């Protein structure tokens, strides 16, 4: 039976390497992060060979793809909201230019439509 390989984030690897660079021993860092000292030795070799920018690219790539997808989704949403704002601004401008007539209850204009007279005003 195959056991799935443990994957560690780039952030965890970089944090462990910075701890080692700060002067802490590999055994101490291994205990802090609950990792094997052998694994830390492997990461340290890769980090020293490639440098901080190029080391551990494996988990950085999917994150950048997720970021790109998220950015595209947010840009679509911003575009949709911009269209909605434009629509609402146009509607508001129309209402300001051509306001609807205000009709008060019991006023002459409200009675003219129904043809009924108010009972209060009659003797």
């Amino acid at each position: 039976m195959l056991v799935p390989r443990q994957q560690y984030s780039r952030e965890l690897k970089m944090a462990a390497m910075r701890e080692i660079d700060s002067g802490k021993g590999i055994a101490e860092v291994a205990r802090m992060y609950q990792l094997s000292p052998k694994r830390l030795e492997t990461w340290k070799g890769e980090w020293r060979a490639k440098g901080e920018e190029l080391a551990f690219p494996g988990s950085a790539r999917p994150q950048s793809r997720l970021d790109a997808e998220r950015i595209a989704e947010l840009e679509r949403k911003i575009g949709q909201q911009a269209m909605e704002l434009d629509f609402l601004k146009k509607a508001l401008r129309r209402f300001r230019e051509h306001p609807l007539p205000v009709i008060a209850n019991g006023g002459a204009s409200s009675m003219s439509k129904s043809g009924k007279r108010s009972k209060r005003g009659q003797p």
Side-chain angles (χ1 to χ4, degrees):
M1 180 167 119
L2 290 174
V3 178
R5 223 173 120 180
Q6 177 69 40
Q7 293 185 356
Y8 299 96
S9 70
R10 182 177 196 274
E11 291 77 22
L12 174 81
K13 293 175 183 180
M14 295 303 292
M17 293 303 103
R18 288 187 185 115
E19 292 287 341
I20 290 172
D21 259 6
S22 72
K24 293 184 180 174
I26 290 190
E28 183 181 358
V29 175
R31 280 191 301 274
M32 278 176 54
Y33 290 98
Q34 298 178 349
L35 297 167
S36 157
K38 179 68 178 159
R39 185 175 312 273
L40 286 177
E41 287 287 347
T42 305
W43 291 352
K44 183 179 174 184
E46 182 180 347
W47 192 55
R48 295 273 190 243
K50 295 181 180 177
E52 187 169 327
E53 295 300 316
L54 299 175
F56 320 123
S59 42
R61 285 188 190 130
Q63 183 62 37
S64 65
R65 189 173 342 123
L66 289 174
D67 289 345
E69 290 172 4
R70 180 75 174 142
I71 288 170
E73 176 188 341
L74 292 173
E75 285 175 344
R76 282 191 299 275
K77 192 168 199 165
I78 288 170
Q80 180 182 1
Q81 289 177 343
M83 288 179 9
E84 290 172 358
L85 279 173
D86 289 342
F87 172 80
L88 292 172
K89 284 178 183 178
K90 287 178 186 176
L92 182 61
R93 192 176 322 122
R94 243 186 224 148
F95 280 113
R96 284 184 179 156
E97 291 171 359
H98 307 288
L100 295 175
V102 178
I103 301 174
N105 287 338
S109 60
S110 66
M111 288 190 301
S112 65
K113 289 186 179 181
S114 67
K116 295 181 181 177
R117 293 208 165 248
S118 173
K119 291 185 180 180
R120 280 188 193 170
Q122 291 180 352

